[in-house]
Amino acid sequence: MRRVPGAILIGAAAALLLGAGLLAGAVSAQSQKPPALGPLPPVPVPRDNPMSPAKVELGRFLFFDPRLSGDASTSCASCHNPEAGWGDGSDVSRGYPGTQHWRNSQTVLNSAYYAKLFWAGEVTSLEGQAEAAATGNVAGNGDPIMMEERLRQIPEYVRRFKAVFGTDRPLIGDVWKAIAAFERTLVSRAEQVPFDRFAKGDAQALGEEAKRGLALFQGKAGCIQCHSGPLASDENYHNLGVPKNPAFEEDPLRQITLRFQHYSRGVPEPLYRTADRDLGLYYTTKRDEDKGKFRTPTLREIKYTAPYMHNGAFFTLEEVVDFYDQGGGQDPGKSPLLRPLRLSAQEKKDLLAFLLSLSSDKPIVVPRPALPEYAAIR
């Protein structure tokens, strides 16, 4: 998968976008101007997993099928529910039965554009994301051999896998390919997104508040330092000093999962014994300066994807704007890009109006399929 290129914008809307691009404060330390906001380009598709309608439809079935989990109770849609913005609507994800997860369930909307998936970029493709989620101990907890065997006992799946992949029986690697193909269709359409219509030349697509918010986003508020390009994400990792979620102080199952994460990711013993929060990118790099860093999420479809932050610390966009207005949290490793903004009440409203314009007019949903049944071998 590749990164999203900067968009080329035209017309009066482009003039406003580019004219407001001067950044304040810490932006001067950056070597070049962030990529411009704009409509999304075509979805990048890997050469080894080309798209087809039949593959996408198979992936839709599999996305909603709970038999791709340990006890056949948890589907992809359990944590990525279309009716909850393709997340699960909770601050921290539900986890596999008997466990509680340790992170907010990110939306899969527009995930086709990420170069790395998950909050700390642990996998590099949607195919890898599907496998990691379905087999992860506190996500799907599925055994690949068992999941594959279940699919082989469902005649409708046998037929569909043969039609799509040319195999005599379902293979687990093809499962991940089909799910990924389906997820690559879950993207924002420019004609449905007010900001995208504005960027394409429709000056009436944004109201006056949202236009002022756009200028703030790219100027005084400095949001574009990290939320840049068509995806509205630099896909980089930053420590924002996000406050701890009280759930980890109150729920022993979440404490168990957090300790398990430390242990399974090879955290040194002294840190394992004392760490009381998600260490983010540190799990991969083991560099002290990466503690508490998480990948910048897209702002697209943000109207529908609350709660926010890696631990679901904020339930409303107003809380998020207030957090950034204060200059983020108090973590000693906090990014130097964050600073108090001192926005007025009206400026906060303007910024919020612009943020909401990055979402589709209506939620992106698809119908849930009627899942095929098992059949005994004859």
Side-chain angles (χ1 to χ4, degrees), residues 1 42-60 112-113 126-127 164-165 176-187 189:
M1 300 179 70
V43 172
V45 178
R47 292 183 178 180
D48 63 348
N49 190 19
M51 301 284 282
S52 74
K55 185 184 293 183
V56 169
E57 181 67 358
L58 173 58
R60 182 173 73 96
Y113 293 97
L126 285 176
E127 290 80 3
V164 172
F165 295 104
W176 316 137
K177 288 183 176 181
I179 292 174
F182 169 66
E183 291 177 334
R184 289 189 176 101
T185 68
L186 303 176
V187 298
R189 308 296 179 187

mmCIF file of all heavy atoms in Angstrom, residues 1 42-60 112-113 126-127 164-165 176-187 189:
data_model
loop_
_atom_site.group_PDB
_atom_site.id
_atom_site.type_symbol
_atom_site.label_atom_id
_atom_site.label_comp_id
_atom_site.label_asym_id
_atom_site.label_seq_id
_atom_site.Cartn_x
_atom_site.Cartn_y
_atom_site.Cartn_z
ATOM 1 N N MET A 1 0.834 -1.187 0.000
ATOM 2 C CA MET A 1 0.000 0.000 0.000
ATOM 3 C C MET A 1 0.875 1.245 0.000
ATOM 4 O O MET A 1 1.985 1.240 0.500
ATOM 5 C CB MET A 1 -0.907 0.016 1.238
ATOM 6 C CG MET A 1 -1.833 -1.174 1.309
ATOM 7 S SD MET A 1 -2.851 -1.147 2.790
ATOM 8 C CE MET A 1 -3.918 0.228 2.391
ATOM 9 N N PRO A 42 -8.080 7.799 -6.098
ATOM 10 C CA PRO A 42 -8.546 6.413 -6.191
ATOM 11 C C PRO A 42 -7.905 5.541 -5.116
ATOM 12 O O PRO A 42 -6.770 5.769 -4.700
ATOM 13 C CB PRO A 42 -8.109 5.994 -7.598
ATOM 14 C CG PRO A 42 -8.043 7.276 -8.365
ATOM 15 C CD PRO A 42 -7.561 8.308 -7.382
ATOM 16 N N VAL A 43 -8.634 4.548 -4.671
ATOM 17 C CA VAL A 43 -8.136 3.653 -3.622
ATOM 18 C C VAL A 43 -6.933 2.859 -4.131
ATOM 19 O O VAL A 43 -6.993 2.256 -5.213
ATOM 20 C CB VAL A 43 -9.248 2.681 -3.176
ATOM 21 C CG1 VAL A 43 -8.699 1.609 -2.238
ATOM 22 C CG2 VAL A 43 -10.371 3.441 -2.496
ATOM 23 N N PRO A 44 -5.823 2.840 -3.382
ATOM 24 C CA PRO A 44 -4.689 2.005 -3.783
ATOM 25 C C PRO A 44 -5.010 0.532 -3.577
ATOM 26 O O PRO A 44 -5.536 0.142 -2.530
ATOM 27 C CB PRO A 44 -3.568 2.470 -2.858
ATOM 28 C CG PRO A 44 -4.251 3.054 -1.670
ATOM 29 C CD PRO A 44 -5.552 3.620 -2.150
ATOM 30 N N VAL A 45 -4.714 -0.277 -4.583
ATOM 31 C CA VAL A 45 -5.015 -1.704 -4.532
ATOM 32 C C VAL A 45 -3.722 -2.484 -4.757
ATOM 33 O O VAL A 45 -3.022 -2.258 -5.746
ATOM 34 C CB VAL A 45 -6.046 -2.091 -5.613
ATOM 35 C CG1 VAL A 45 -6.314 -3.589 -5.598
ATOM 36 C CG2 VAL A 45 -7.343 -1.318 -5.405
ATOM 37 N N PRO A 46 -3.364 -3.404 -3.860
ATOM 38 C CA PRO A 46 -2.128 -4.175 -4.036
ATOM 39 C C PRO A 46 -2.218 -5.110 -5.239
ATOM 40 O O PRO A 46 -3.287 -5.631 -5.557
ATOM 41 C CB PRO A 46 -1.998 -4.954 -2.728
ATOM 42 C CG PRO A 46 -3.380 -5.032 -2.185
ATOM 43 C CD PRO A 46 -4.075 -3.771 -2.615
ATOM 44 N N ARG A 47 -1.095 -5.332 -5.888
ATOM 45 C CA ARG A 47 -1.078 -6.155 -7.098
ATOM 46 C C ARG A 47 -1.484 -7.601 -6.837
ATOM 47 O O ARG A 47 -2.026 -8.271 -7.719
ATOM 48 C CB ARG A 47 0.321 -6.123 -7.722
ATOM 49 C CG ARG A 47 0.708 -4.765 -8.303
ATOM 50 C CD ARG A 47 2.077 -4.829 -8.960
ATOM 51 N NE ARG A 47 2.440 -3.534 -9.556
ATOM 52 C CZ ARG A 47 3.576 -3.303 -10.193
ATOM 53 N NH1 ARG A 47 4.476 -4.285 -10.312
ATOM 54 N NH2 ARG A 47 3.825 -2.119 -10.700
ATOM 55 N N ASP A 48 -1.205 -8.079 -5.621
ATOM 56 C CA ASP A 48 -1.499 -9.480 -5.334
ATOM 57 C C ASP A 48 -2.920 -9.693 -4.819
ATOM 58 O O ASP A 48 -3.282 -10.804 -4.421
ATOM 59 C CB ASP A 48 -0.491 -10.057 -4.338
ATOM 60 C CG ASP A 48 -0.542 -9.366 -2.979
ATOM 61 O OD1 ASP A 48 -1.194 -8.306 -2.866
ATOM 62 O OD2 ASP A 48 0.091 -9.872 -2.036
ATOM 63 N N ASN A 49 -3.734 -8.637 -4.814
ATOM 64 C CA ASN A 49 -5.122 -8.798 -4.385
ATOM 65 C C ASN A 49 -6.018 -7.853 -5.180
ATOM 66 O O ASN A 49 -6.619 -6.923 -4.617
ATOM 67 C CB ASN A 49 -5.266 -8.527 -2.885
ATOM 68 C CG ASN A 49 -6.642 -8.923 -2.360
ATOM 69 O OD1 ASN A 49 -7.360 -9.708 -2.991
ATOM 70 N ND2 ASN A 49 -7.014 -8.389 -1.204
ATOM 71 N N PRO A 50 -6.146 -8.081 -6.485
ATOM 72 C CA PRO A 50 -6.982 -7.198 -7.309
ATOM 73 C C PRO A 50 -8.447 -7.262 -6.886
ATOM 74 O O PRO A 50 -8.910 -8.246 -6.327
ATOM 75 C CB PRO A 50 -6.772 -7.734 -8.725
ATOM 76 C CG PRO A 50 -6.356 -9.160 -8.539
ATOM 77 C CD PRO A 50 -5.565 -9.178 -7.275
ATOM 78 N N MET A 51 -9.162 -6.193 -7.180
ATOM 79 C CA MET A 51 -10.572 -6.086 -6.811
ATOM 80 C C MET A 51 -11.461 -6.762 -7.852
ATOM 81 O O MET A 51 -11.132 -6.812 -9.038
ATOM 82 C CB MET A 51 -10.958 -4.618 -6.691
ATOM 83 C CG MET A 51 -10.164 -3.835 -5.668
ATOM 84 S SD MET A 51 -10.646 -4.162 -3.969
ATOM 85 C CE MET A 51 -12.139 -3.168 -3.856
ATOM 86 N N SER A 52 -12.589 -7.268 -7.390
ATOM 87 C CA SER A 52 -13.643 -7.748 -8.273
ATOM 88 C C SER A 52 -14.944 -7.700 -7.487
ATOM 89 O O SER A 52 -14.935 -7.833 -6.251
ATOM 90 C CB SER A 52 -13.383 -9.179 -8.761
ATOM 91 O OG SER A 52 -13.613 -10.119 -7.728
ATOM 92 N N PRO A 53 -16.081 -7.507 -8.143
ATOM 93 C CA PRO A 53 -17.357 -7.482 -7.418
ATOM 94 C C PRO A 53 -17.610 -8.748 -6.619
ATOM 95 O O PRO A 53 -18.119 -8.687 -5.482
ATOM 96 C CB PRO A 53 -18.385 -7.294 -8.534
ATOM 97 C CG PRO A 53 -17.634 -6.583 -9.624
ATOM 98 C CD PRO A 53 -16.252 -7.159 -9.574
ATOM 99 N N ALA A 54 -17.254 -9.900 -7.179
ATOM 100 C CA ALA A 54 -17.496 -11.162 -6.469
ATOM 101 C C ALA A 54 -16.628 -11.264 -5.221
ATOM 102 O O ALA A 54 -17.071 -11.769 -4.177
ATOM 103 C CB ALA A 54 -17.225 -12.344 -7.401
ATOM 104 N N LYS A 55 -15.387 -10.781 -5.308
ATOM 105 C CA LYS A 55 -14.504 -10.826 -4.136
ATOM 106 C C LYS A 55 -14.997 -9.875 -3.054
ATOM 107 O O LYS A 55 -15.000 -10.214 -1.864
ATOM 108 C CB LYS A 55 -13.076 -10.467 -4.540
ATOM 109 C CG LYS A 55 -12.071 -10.600 -3.397
ATOM 110 C CD LYS A 55 -10.676 -10.131 -3.802
ATOM 111 C CE LYS A 55 -10.048 -11.046 -4.850
ATOM 112 N NZ LYS A 55 -8.669 -10.624 -5.174
ATOM 113 N N VAL A 56 -15.425 -8.691 -3.454
ATOM 114 C CA VAL A 56 -15.955 -7.724 -2.493
ATOM 115 C C VAL A 56 -17.188 -8.286 -1.793
ATOM 116 O O VAL A 56 -17.343 -8.166 -0.577
ATOM 117 C CB VAL A 56 -16.280 -6.395 -3.192
ATOM 118 C CG1 VAL A 56 -17.076 -5.476 -2.267
ATOM 119 C CG2 VAL A 56 -14.994 -5.711 -3.647
ATOM 120 N N GLU A 57 -18.075 -8.926 -2.555
ATOM 121 C CA GLU A 57 -19.277 -9.492 -1.958
ATOM 122 C C GLU A 57 -18.931 -10.628 -0.998
ATOM 123 O O GLU A 57 -19.519 -10.738 0.090
ATOM 124 C CB GLU A 57 -20.220 -9.984 -3.054
ATOM 125 C CG GLU A 57 -21.522 -10.581 -2.556
ATOM 126 C CD GLU A 57 -22.449 -9.584 -1.888
ATOM 127 O OE1 GLU A 57 -22.081 -8.386 -1.762
ATOM 128 O OE2 GLU A 57 -23.551 -9.977 -1.463
ATOM 129 N N LEU A 58 -17.979 -11.467 -1.367
ATOM 130 C CA LEU A 58 -17.524 -12.515 -0.451
ATOM 131 C C LEU A 58 -16.955 -11.887 0.809
ATOM 132 O O LEU A 58 -17.239 -12.334 1.935
ATOM 133 C CB LEU A 58 -16.471 -13.386 -1.134
ATOM 134 C CG LEU A 58 -15.775 -14.435 -0.257
ATOM 135 C CD1 LEU A 58 -16.780 -15.398 0.366
ATOM 136 C CD2 LEU A 58 -14.716 -15.188 -1.076
ATOM 137 N N GLY A 59 -16.163 -10.823 0.654
ATOM 138 C CA GLY A 59 -15.599 -10.142 1.815
ATOM 139 C C GLY A 59 -16.661 -9.547 2.710
ATOM 140 O O GLY A 59 -16.514 -9.535 3.937
ATOM 141 N N ARG A 60 -17.756 -9.062 2.121
ATOM 142 C CA ARG A 60 -18.853 -8.532 2.929
ATOM 143 C C ARG A 60 -19.436 -9.622 3.811
ATOM 144 O O ARG A 60 -19.704 -9.408 5.009
ATOM 145 C CB ARG A 60 -19.936 -7.936 2.033
ATOM 146 C CG ARG A 60 -21.107 -7.309 2.796
ATOM 147 C CD ARG A 60 -22.063 -6.589 1.859
ATOM 148 N NE ARG A 60 -22.864 -7.515 1.061
ATOM 149 C CZ ARG A 60 -24.098 -7.906 1.367
ATOM 150 N NH1 ARG A 60 -24.672 -7.483 2.486
ATOM 151 N NH2 ARG A 60 -24.757 -8.733 0.576
ATOM 152 N N ALA A 112 -8.410 2.069 3.810
ATOM 153 C CA ALA A 112 -7.707 1.626 2.601
ATOM 154 C C ALA A 112 -6.538 2.530 2.250
ATOM 155 O O ALA A 112 -5.634 2.119 1.513
ATOM 156 C CB ALA A 112 -8.684 1.575 1.418
ATOM 157 N N TYR A 113 -6.528 3.750 2.766
ATOM 158 C CA TYR A 113 -5.484 4.707 2.401
ATOM 159 C C TYR A 113 -4.296 4.707 3.349
ATOM 160 O O TYR A 113 -3.270 5.322 3.054
ATOM 161 C CB TYR A 113 -6.084 6.118 2.346
ATOM 162 C CG TYR A 113 -7.066 6.297 1.224
ATOM 163 C CD1 TYR A 113 -8.436 6.179 1.461
ATOM 164 C CD2 TYR A 113 -6.642 6.565 -0.068
ATOM 165 C CE1 TYR A 113 -9.350 6.330 0.425
ATOM 166 C CE2 TYR A 113 -7.540 6.715 -1.108
ATOM 167 C CZ TYR A 113 -8.898 6.597 -0.852
ATOM 168 O OH TYR A 113 -9.788 6.736 -1.881
ATOM 169 N N LEU A 126 -4.326 -3.970 4.837
ATOM 170 C CA LEU A 126 -5.634 -4.402 5.325
ATOM 171 C C LEU A 126 -5.698 -5.913 5.457
ATOM 172 O O LEU A 126 -6.386 -6.440 6.338
ATOM 173 C CB LEU A 126 -6.729 -3.912 4.383
ATOM 174 C CG LEU A 126 -7.073 -2.420 4.471
ATOM 175 C CD1 LEU A 126 -8.100 -2.062 3.406
ATOM 176 C CD2 LEU A 126 -7.596 -2.067 5.857
ATOM 177 N N GLU A 127 -4.996 -6.627 4.586
ATOM 178 C CA GLU A 127 -4.940 -8.084 4.700
ATOM 179 C C GLU A 127 -4.309 -8.474 6.037
ATOM 180 O O GLU A 127 -4.804 -9.353 6.757
ATOM 181 C CB GLU A 127 -4.136 -8.678 3.543
ATOM 182 C CG GLU A 127 -4.818 -8.596 2.196
ATOM 183 C CD GLU A 127 -4.705 -7.223 1.517
ATOM 184 O OE1 GLU A 127 -4.030 -6.316 2.083
ATOM 185 O OE2 GLU A 127 -5.282 -7.052 0.434
ATOM 186 N N VAL A 164 -14.203 -17.133 -6.862
ATOM 187 C CA VAL A 164 -13.345 -15.954 -6.736
ATOM 188 C C VAL A 164 -11.870 -16.308 -6.845
ATOM 189 O O VAL A 164 -11.105 -15.634 -7.543
ATOM 190 C CB VAL A 164 -13.616 -15.241 -5.398
ATOM 191 C CG1 VAL A 164 -12.601 -14.131 -5.156
ATOM 192 C CG2 VAL A 164 -15.033 -14.676 -5.375
ATOM 193 N N PHE A 165 -11.447 -17.366 -6.168
ATOM 194 C CA PHE A 165 -10.025 -17.680 -6.072
ATOM 195 C C PHE A 165 -9.610 -18.926 -6.852
ATOM 196 O O PHE A 165 -8.419 -19.210 -6.975
ATOM 197 C CB PHE A 165 -9.618 -17.849 -4.602
ATOM 198 C CG PHE A 165 -9.746 -16.587 -3.797
ATOM 199 C CD1 PHE A 165 -10.804 -16.424 -2.906
ATOM 200 C CD2 PHE A 165 -8.832 -15.559 -3.927
ATOM 201 C CE1 PHE A 165 -10.937 -15.257 -2.153
ATOM 202 C CE2 PHE A 165 -8.952 -14.387 -3.178
ATOM 203 C CZ PHE A 165 -10.006 -14.233 -2.290
ATOM 204 N N TRP A 176 -8.538 -13.354 4.295
ATOM 205 C CA TRP A 176 -8.040 -12.004 4.589
ATOM 206 C C TRP A 176 -8.079 -11.137 3.332
ATOM 207 O O TRP A 176 -8.379 -9.936 3.414
ATOM 208 C CB TRP A 176 -6.625 -12.064 5.143
ATOM 209 C CG TRP A 176 -6.377 -13.131 6.174
ATOM 210 C CD1 TRP A 176 -5.299 -13.950 6.251
ATOM 211 C CD2 TRP A 176 -7.211 -13.487 7.296
ATOM 212 N NE1 TRP A 176 -5.396 -14.798 7.316
ATOM 213 C CE2 TRP A 176 -6.557 -14.541 7.977
ATOM 214 C CE3 TRP A 176 -8.428 -13.041 7.773
ATOM 215 C CZ2 TRP A 176 -7.095 -15.137 9.115
ATOM 216 C CZ3 TRP A 176 -8.969 -13.632 8.903
ATOM 217 C CH2 TRP A 176 -8.314 -14.661 9.569
ATOM 218 N N LYS A 177 -7.798 -11.718 2.186
ATOM 219 C CA LYS A 177 -7.845 -10.951 0.940
ATOM 220 C C LYS A 177 -9.262 -10.475 0.629
ATOM 221 O O LYS A 177 -9.476 -9.338 0.204
ATOM 222 C CB LYS A 177 -7.311 -11.790 -0.211
ATOM 223 C CG LYS A 177 -5.798 -11.998 -0.184
ATOM 224 C CD LYS A 177 -5.332 -12.782 -1.400
ATOM 225 C CE LYS A 177 -3.818 -12.913 -1.415
ATOM 226 N NZ LYS A 177 -3.341 -13.658 -2.619
ATOM 227 N N ALA A 178 -10.250 -11.335 0.837
ATOM 228 C CA ALA A 178 -11.633 -10.968 0.547
ATOM 229 C C ALA A 178 -12.121 -9.877 1.502
ATOM 230 O O ALA A 178 -12.774 -8.907 1.080
ATOM 231 C CB ALA A 178 -12.533 -12.194 0.630
ATOM 232 N N ILE A 179 -11.809 -10.014 2.792
ATOM 233 C CA ILE A 179 -12.214 -8.991 3.757
ATOM 234 C C ILE A 179 -11.560 -7.655 3.413
ATOM 235 O O ILE A 179 -12.206 -6.595 3.446
ATOM 236 C CB ILE A 179 -11.862 -9.425 5.189
ATOM 237 C CG1 ILE A 179 -12.736 -10.612 5.616
ATOM 238 C CG2 ILE A 179 -12.028 -8.265 6.171
ATOM 239 C CD1 ILE A 179 -12.355 -11.209 6.956
ATOM 240 N N ALA A 180 -10.277 -7.689 3.075
ATOM 241 C CA ALA A 180 -9.578 -6.454 2.713
ATOM 242 C C ALA A 180 -10.196 -5.812 1.477
ATOM 243 O O ALA A 180 -10.336 -4.581 1.402
ATOM 244 C CB ALA A 180 -8.094 -6.740 2.486
ATOM 245 N N ALA A 181 -10.574 -6.615 0.497
ATOM 246 C CA ALA A 181 -11.199 -6.078 -0.713
ATOM 247 C C ALA A 181 -12.512 -5.371 -0.354
ATOM 248 O O ALA A 181 -12.808 -4.285 -0.875
ATOM 249 C CB ALA A 181 -11.444 -7.192 -1.722
ATOM 250 N N PHE A 182 -13.300 -5.971 0.513
ATOM 251 C CA PHE A 182 -14.539 -5.329 0.960
ATOM 252 C C PHE A 182 -14.244 -4.009 1.662
ATOM 253 O O PHE A 182 -14.876 -2.979 1.391
ATOM 254 C CB PHE A 182 -15.307 -6.268 1.887
ATOM 255 C CG PHE A 182 -16.444 -5.611 2.607
ATOM 256 C CD1 PHE A 182 -17.557 -5.143 1.922
ATOM 257 C CD2 PHE A 182 -16.399 -5.434 3.992
ATOM 258 C CE1 PHE A 182 -18.608 -4.520 2.587
ATOM 259 C CE2 PHE A 182 -17.442 -4.817 4.664
ATOM 260 C CZ PHE A 182 -18.550 -4.361 3.954
ATOM 261 N N GLU A 183 -13.261 -3.999 2.546
ATOM 262 C CA GLU A 183 -12.944 -2.786 3.300
ATOM 263 C C GLU A 183 -12.450 -1.668 2.388
ATOM 264 O O GLU A 183 -12.628 -0.481 2.709
ATOM 265 C CB GLU A 183 -11.908 -3.099 4.380
ATOM 266 C CG GLU A 183 -12.465 -3.970 5.496
ATOM 267 C CD GLU A 183 -11.428 -4.350 6.538
ATOM 268 O OE1 GLU A 183 -10.224 -4.388 6.200
ATOM 269 O OE2 GLU A 183 -11.826 -4.609 7.679
ATOM 270 N N ARG A 184 -11.868 -2.017 1.253
ATOM 271 C CA ARG A 184 -11.402 -0.981 0.318
ATOM 272 C C ARG A 184 -12.555 -0.275 -0.388
ATOM 273 O O ARG A 184 -12.327 0.719 -1.072
ATOM 274 C CB ARG A 184 -10.432 -1.595 -0.701
ATOM 275 C CG ARG A 184 -9.101 -1.966 -0.092
ATOM 276 C CD ARG A 184 -8.013 -2.372 -1.096
ATOM 277 N NE ARG A 184 -6.786 -2.607 -0.363
ATOM 278 C CZ ARG A 184 -6.308 -3.809 -0.023
ATOM 279 N NH1 ARG A 184 -6.964 -4.902 -0.409
ATOM 280 N NH2 ARG A 184 -5.206 -3.920 0.691
ATOM 281 N N THR A 185 -13.762 -0.752 -0.196
ATOM 282 C CA THR A 185 -14.927 -0.057 -0.750
ATOM 283 C C THR A 185 -15.555 0.897 0.261
ATOM 284 O O THR A 185 -16.458 1.662 -0.102
ATOM 285 C CB THR A 185 -16.002 -1.063 -1.216
ATOM 286 O OG1 THR A 185 -16.570 -1.733 -0.074
ATOM 287 C CG2 THR A 185 -15.403 -2.097 -2.166
ATOM 288 N N LEU A 186 -15.096 0.864 1.504
ATOM 289 C CA LEU A 186 -15.682 1.682 2.570
ATOM 290 C C LEU A 186 -14.943 3.009 2.650
ATOM 291 O O LEU A 186 -14.146 3.268 3.561
ATOM 292 C CB LEU A 186 -15.609 0.926 3.902
ATOM 293 C CG LEU A 186 -16.280 -0.452 3.919
ATOM 294 C CD1 LEU A 186 -16.063 -1.137 5.264
ATOM 295 C CD2 LEU A 186 -17.763 -0.340 3.596
ATOM 296 N N VAL A 187 -15.187 3.852 1.666
ATOM 297 C CA VAL A 187 -14.458 5.107 1.553
ATOM 298 C C VAL A 187 -15.424 6.275 1.347
ATOM 299 O O VAL A 187 -16.549 6.099 0.872
ATOM 300 C CB VAL A 187 -13.447 5.061 0.391
ATOM 301 C CG1 VAL A 187 -12.408 3.973 0.622
ATOM 302 C CG2 VAL A 187 -14.153 4.842 -0.939
ATOM 303 N N ARG A 189 -17.014 9.380 -0.438
ATOM 304 C CA ARG A 189 -17.212 9.785 -1.826
ATOM 305 C C ARG A 189 -17.277 11.307 -1.869
ATOM 306 O O ARG A 189 -18.050 11.925 -1.139
ATOM 307 C CB ARG A 189 -18.498 9.185 -2.388
ATOM 308 C CG ARG A 189 -18.606 7.678 -2.203
ATOM 309 C CD ARG A 189 -17.541 6.923 -2.961
ATOM 310 N NE ARG A 189 -17.649 5.475 -2.757
ATOM 311 C CZ ARG A 189 -16.759 4.591 -3.197
ATOM 312 N NH1 ARG A 189 -15.705 5.011 -3.867
ATOM 313 N NH2 ARG A 189 -16.922 3.312 -2.954
#
